[in-house]
């Protein structure tokens, strides 16, 4: 079983979204940034590594958000609550980043990557 981990980074009642640049099917859609957990790595440290690479920031990682989502054969996607501890996010590997309120997140639900859209209400709940 492979795991992909994604960050629900929250600051002052807003969630950080990152816009995918590839592949074509999801380019332009928004996701929780993250990536694949490597062998021997914890989920939390994989997320810290991926977020440092993708957004050039350091995060602290907390509890899971929502239920894991099955991505395909033997791949699960997990979201973890997270917050910034150093730096300001830069889209190093995405097209853009943005901070959204719960209301804004609901309004753009159709622009989320399909797997992440499953967590819509969990994410809105995090934003209070
Ligand atoms: N994924 C997702 N929702 C997220 C993050 C990832 O549905 N919030 C999916 C997209 C891919 C898989 O998980 O199918 C892996 O995500 P990556 O962004 O790591 O995919 P890459 O293809 O960029 O990985 P790599 O470039 O390392 O091969």
């Amino acid at each position: 079983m492979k795991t992909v981990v994604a960050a629900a980074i929250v600051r002052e009642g807003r969630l950080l979204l990152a816009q995918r640049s590839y592949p074509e099917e999801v380019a332009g859609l928004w996701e929780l940034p993250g990536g694949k957990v490597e062998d021997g790595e914890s989920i939390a440290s994989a997320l810290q590594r991926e977020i440092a690479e993708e957004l050039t920031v350091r995060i602290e990682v907390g509890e899971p958000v929502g239920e894991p989502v099955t991505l395909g054969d033997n791949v699960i996607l997990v979201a973890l609550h997270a917050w910034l501890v150093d730096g300001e996010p830069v889209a190093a590997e995405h097209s853009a980043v943005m901070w959204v309120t719960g209301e804004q997140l609901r309004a753009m639900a159709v622009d989320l990557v399909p797997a992440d859209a499953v967590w819509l209400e969990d994410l809105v709940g995090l934003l209070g």
Side-chain angles (χ1 to χ4, degrees), residues 29-121:
L29 299 182
W30 297 81
E31 69 175 2
L32 303 183
K36 295 166 187 149
V37 180
E38 292 173 0
D39 291 342
E41 204 177 31
S42 72
I43 292 178
S45 55
L47 189 56
Q48 290 173 318
R49 174 183 53 72
E50 288 282 353
I51 295 303
E53 290 170 7
E54 295 182 0
L55 302 175
T56 77
V57 294
R58 287 200 308 125
I59 56 167
E60 289 282 349
V61 173
E63 295 298 308
V65 177
E67 295 294 322
V69 175
T70 301
L71 282 185
D73 290 346
N74 284 325
V75 184
I76 60 160
L77 173 66
V78 175
L80 299 179
H81 194 183
W83 53 97
L84 292 177
V85 293
D86 190 42
E88 192 60 30
V90 170
E93 297 181 1
H94 289 85
S95 302
V97 294
M98 71 170 162
W99 294 97
V100 293
T101 63
E103 191 179 350
Q104 290 166 335
L105 184 64
R106 274 214 185 93
M108 62 179 288
V110 294
D111 297 316
L112 298 176
V113 300
D116 297 30
V118 171
W119 295 320
L120 180 63
E121 290 308 320

